[in-house]
Amino acid sequence: MMHIPFRVVFEQRGETPRRLSLLVPLASVFAALFFGALFLLATGHSPIDTYSNMFQDGFASFNGITDTLALSTVLICTGISAAFAFQMNLYNIGGEGQLYLGLIGGAWAGIALGDHLPTLMMVPLVLLCGALAGAAWIFVPAFVRSRLGTSEIVSTLLLTYIGASLIKHVIYTPGSFFRNPNTSFPQGRLVADSASLDSFGSSRLYPTFFVALIIAGALYWVVKRTEFGYRINVISDSPRAAHYAGINARRTTMWVMLISGALSGLAGAMLIVGPYGKIEPSIITLGYGYAGIVVAALARNNLGVIIVSGILFSGLRVGGNNLQVTTDTPIHIGVMLQGAILLFALGGEAFRRYHIHVVRVHDATVKKVAA
Amino acid sequence: MNENIWILMSADAIAIATTLILAALGALFTERSGVLNLGIEGILLTSAISSFLAADASGSVWLGLIVGSLIGALLASIHAVLSVVFRANQIVAGLALVIFGTGLANFLGKPAEGKTVTTVINPLSFGPLSDIPVIGPIVFGQDIITYFAIAVAIVASRYLFSTRPGLELRATGDDPATVDAQGLSVARIRIRYTMIGGALVGLGGSWLMLAQSAGWHQAATTNGLGWIALALVVFAGWRPMRIIFGAVLFGFTLQLPFTLQAEQITFIPSAFLEMLPYLATLIALIALSRPGNRNLLGAPRALGTPFVRDER
């Protein structure tokens, strides 16, 4: 066997230096962009054109900024949905499916109840119904996870595919409640006027953006300052300590997962009162729920930082989506970069947690003896 | 009722099971070493489109299959390095791989959209054997990769439970500290089997493309097969032979919608039939998870946890 004259030593850090907490995520983003640039070069696209177009369309024009903030409304919600569960080591990766159900729940309220109530009551009602539908969609995974220990990872994900079929079903079935009865082409039925909000001026940004910010802030407060948040922290740090402290882990698991599902459902309902006004079947190809996982992981489940990573990622998506118009680069580079940034961030995480250094094998042996 | 359709359905169920068998075996090898790779769906997609492009450019399905498998191993190596060397959260790393793989596959697949595969894998012919009623099309009407997948499962079973390296592999997933004390490198074993697993998944994705889909339909090409494969490993109790059984079972749920449609049995809404494979997987998963069943089923004890030698 080949003899390697050096080895990499991982030394656990007692405390992470503050500068690394900021430096590592930034470096991961740049490393991923660099990797993306090499990939673009290799596939015959200009990285400079691609990136400058993405930046221009995502962050550096009025439409770009407002579109980015509009999309971030959804991504912040799905992001906190993922993070809220992840922080307790509950991997709800079915936010995508819960978002579909939020669309259905919200549209139901908007169509069925819309003509009887004023906007001031209707919009919160639509959001509430969407959140409830999202929570309902995660109920079975949450129940079997807390009672039987069934992996929530696979169960929530499988329900996403079932949710996608449901969306197709309610739109493509003739005579469906959610289908527009006046067109032969299958599309969603519009909700009542009282159930939809106006966007700001000429932009496509809706007031729901501020609702998302308020909810992120409120949950941050819940986690940091309330007894419920304290229970979550104890369980995630040490399930055994939580048990001895008399914390009911089952009930907390159940609640955390239901809240997580409700937040993804809320994201769907925000699309109903905001830009869509109906069930848009193309939602099943957009992956806003999956993007929430990336947003949460990049923010290391910190509900405050999610606002930043959510805006960053929607900028990437908005910029990426316009690429097809402005260059010949496929729009999918946006999603690919999301994945790459997360992969690099995960690698970078090691530099935050460990002091990594390369030592000669000879030195390492000496050190070990000395210790 | 047309009997032929049901025979064809059985044949197709076994055929579609090929991808599930290969992907689940890939996941099984990975998990037996103690690494949890949730990125199967992303690997399937990327290897599928890579095999398409390679077969299309070269005119050779074999080259397509090889490229697809290599891409599978390459993507799995990203997961291996992150999980084993950098000790990253394996769940998040696997999800990152799904997202990265989906974006990459769609990017690469842009020029392939709307095109069909020109060179495909054809079923083998066993002469008169293939003409036997019922058994002929089901047993002797498959292509070489389907037989290969079943052979891999049989060999894998022997390898895991009756050979020295198989024992080392199982030990790495159950009790890495002991393997380390034996002077073996836990890291090297884990990286090796994660990559072998990725190659098997990649072969499954390539086969799906070159024998089944005949075209690139973005994420719908695999449509969650990778996740079903992951559930299948749990269903099979981390045992290769049971994977064949489970895969054929799920193969039936995947084929049923097409058969019922051909039979013009329409009282069941098509949306429900579409949900069936996922629903069946979900129910199987819940039914299997009675308390205390985890050890009974044989989940590797160190699954998903990085190995850190206590150095001081």
Side-chain angles (χ1 to χ4, degrees):
Chain A
M1 197 175 292
M2 196 177 66
H3 181 70
I4 306 166
F6 58 86
R7 52 187 274 248
V8 184
V9 173
F10 284 65
E11 212 175 291
Q12 183 102 39
R13 288 182 198 277
E15 208 175 326
T16 306
R18 186 146 249 197
R19 61 191 167 85
L20 278 185
S21 298
L22 188 69
L23 194 69
V24 166
L26 276 180
S28 335
V29 172
F30 279 106
L33 290 177
F34 181 71
F35 162 82
L38 293 180
F39 179 81
L40 284 168
L41 271 180
T43 50
H45 302 279
S46 159
I48 295 169
D49 279 2
T50 306
Y51 285 161
S52 65
N53 270 304
M54 280 173 79
F55 181 76
Q56 198 70 32
D57 293 335
F59 297 103
S61 61
F62 175 76
N63 280 335
I65 293 167
T66 50
D67 280 359
T68 294
L69 292 179
L71 179 59
S72 77
T73 309
V74 181
L75 296 193
I76 288 171
C77 282
T78 54
I80 49 179
S81 159
F84 195 67
F86 281 21
Q87 61 174 350
M88 216 179 105
N89 296 322
L90 292 167
Y91 291 93
N92 170 24
I93 58 173
E96 181 77 21
Q98 294 137 27
L99 180 140
Y100 302 159
L101 265 288
L103 233 67
I104 294 177
W108 176 81
I111 297 167
L113 314 170
D115 292 333
H116 316 292
L117 296 166
T119 302
L120 209 59
M121 287 171 76
M122 229 11 246
V123 169
L125 196 62
V126 168
L127 295 181
L128 181 71
C129 283
L132 286 176
W137 205 237
I138 203 179
F139 181 81
V140 169
F143 185 78
V144 294
R145 173 65 171 79
S146 62
R147 297 289 149 148
L148 308 171
T150 312
S151 162
E152 74 285 6
I153 303 169
V154 181
S155 64
T156 51
L157 205 285
L158 288 170
L159 277 165
T160 296
Y161 287 93
I162 297 172
S165 295
L166 204 61
I167 288 270
K168 282 190 267 176
H169 180 70
V170 300
I171 295 301
Y172 295 121
T173 309
S176 155
F177 175 77
F178 294 97
R179 180 172 168 163
N180 188 337
N182 303 323
T183 56
S184 54
F185 181 75
Q187 53 177 289
R189 186 199 291 210
L190 279 171
V191 296
D193 284 343
S194 63
S196 48
L197 293 168
D198 291 327
S199 61
F200 293 117
S202 67
S203 74
R204 279 171 285 197
L205 179 64
Y206 288 83
T208 44
F209 175 66
F210 297 101
V211 179
L213 293 188
I214 290 166
I215 287 173
L219 279 171
Y220 184 81
W221 178 79
V222 166
V223 171
K224 293 279 176 200
R225 291 272 179 268
T226 66
E227 201 209 317
F228 182 65
Y230 178 71
R231 282 208 296 264
I232 293 173
N233 283 320
V234 176
I235 295 173
S236 65
D237 280 348
S238 163
R240 188 176 284 179
H243 179 74
Y244 289 136
I247 293 174
N248 188 337
R250 269 188 186 178
R251 195 185 302 159
T252 314
T253 299
M254 195 74 199
W255 275 112
V256 166
M257 287 184 75
L258 288 177
I259 291 170
S260 173
L263 288 166
S264 281
L266 182 70
M270 282 182 170
L271 289 169
I272 295 288
V273 298
Y276 289 1
K278 61 187 181 208
I279 296 175
E280 196 63 78
S282 66
I283 186 74
I284 63 174
T285 61
L286 298 175
Y288 292 159
Y290 295 124
I293 298 167
V294 186
V295 167
L298 198 68
R300 292 205 312 282
N301 304 336
N302 183 318
L303 299 173
V305 182
I306 282 178
I307 296 171
V308 181
S309 64
I311 292 172
L312 176 77
F313 267 78
S314 44
L316 215 62
R317 276 294 287 268
V318 169
N321 285 348
N322 285 333
L323 277 180
Q324 206 86 324
V325 188
T326 45
T327 67
D328 62 343
T329 314
I331 55 171
H332 308 290
I333 188 77
V335 175
M336 203 184 112
L337 283 175
Q338 276 182 19
I341 288 174
L342 186 51
L343 288 170
F344 277 100
L346 282 164
E349 184 75 353
F351 292 90
R352 239 174 42 79
R353 279 187 295 148
Y354 303 97
H355 180 57
I356 302 172
H357 46 146
V358 179
V359 291
R360 304 282 293 257
V361 163
H362 176 70
D363 297 349
T365 344
V366 173
K367 248 188 195 165
K368 226 176 177 178
V369 173
Chain B
M1 186 164 294
N2 187 344
E3 276 170 33
N4 278 329
I5 283 186
W6 295 95
I7 293 167
L8 274 178
M9 173 184 163
S10 307
D12 284 347
I14 292 171
I16 192 81
T18 307
T19 296
L20 284 176
I21 293 174
L22 288 168
L25 283 174
L28 183 139
F29 271 114
T30 312
E31 293 182 18
R32 276 287 187 178
S33 80
V35 176
L36 180 64
N37 184 358
L38 294 180
I40 307 294
E41 179 78 4
I43 298 178
L44 274 181
L45 265 179
T46 312
S47 57
I49 188 61
S50 311
S51 70
F52 181 117
L53 297 173
D56 203 47
S58 67
S60 155
V61 276
W62 307 112
L63 196 75
L65 292 171
I66 292 168
V67 168
S69 310
L70 288 177
I71 291 287
L74 186 72
L75 283 178
S77 74
I78 299 176
H79 185 73
V81 169
L82 283 177
S83 316
V84 179
V85 181
F86 288 99
R87 299 170 199 173
N89 180 328
Q90 297 182 12
I91 294 172
V92 181
L95 293 174
L97 201 57
V98 175
I99 293 165
F100 176 72
T102 309
L104 176 63
N106 283 334
F107 185 98
L108 294 173
K110 195 73 201 157
E113 269 167 33
K115 282 211 275 179
T116 48
V117 188
T118 43
T119 47
V120 293
I121 305 168
N122 287 314
L124 292 181
S125 175
F126 289 91
L129 285 179
S130 304
D131 297 331
I132 304 171
V134 187
I135 299 172
I138 296 175
V139 180
F140 297 106
Q142 310 292 352
D143 70 54
I144 189 157
I145 303 297
T146 304
Y147 298 117
F148 178 73
I150 293 169
V152 172
I154 296 167
V155 172
S157 186
R158 287 273 307 160
Y159 181 79
L160 268 179
F161 298 111
S162 328
T163 70
R164 175 89 200 166
L167 176 71
E168 286 163 7
L169 166 59
R170 282 185 296 135
T172 310
D174 278 330
D175 190 2
T178 309
V179 174
D180 185 59
Q182 292 276 322
L184 295 163
S185 164
V186 171
R188 199 169 295 173
I189 292 175
R190 287 187 167 173
I191 291 174
R192 183 189 307 148
Y193 285 105
T194 304
M195 289 181 67
I196 291 174
L200 282 172
V201 176
L203 183 63
S206 316
W207 177 88
L208 183 71
M209 192 63 183
L210 298 175
Q212 290 283 305
S213 320
W216 174 244
H217 310 288
Q218 299 200 357
T221 310
T222 55
N223 212 4
L225 276 180
W227 296 103
I228 294 182
L230 278 168
L232 200 55
V233 180
V234 182
F235 183 77
W238 287 265
R239 285 173 179 81
M241 293 306 286
R242 292 196 202 162
I243 280 180
I244 303 179
F245 171 73
V248 173
L249 210 65
F250 285 114
F252 268 100
T253 65
L254 284 164
Q255 276 306 322
L256 196 64
F258 302 109
T259 309
L260 291 184
Q261 205 171 28
E263 284 281 297
Q264 294 179 331
I265 301 171
T266 52
F267 65 91
I268 309 169
S270 64
F272 176 75
L273 290 173
E274 221 179 87
M275 295 172 188
L276 197 62
Y278 312 103
L279 214 54
T281 312
L282 183 64
I283 291 167
L285 203 65
I286 294 171
L288 279 170
S289 52
R290 286 195 306 273
N293 231 359
R294 198 173 152 87
N295 284 334
L296 195 85
L297 282 170
R301 275 188 288 276
L303 183 59
T305 37
F307 172 67
V308 184
R309 185 196 287 153
D310 199 13
E311 285 192 301
R312 262 171 274 231

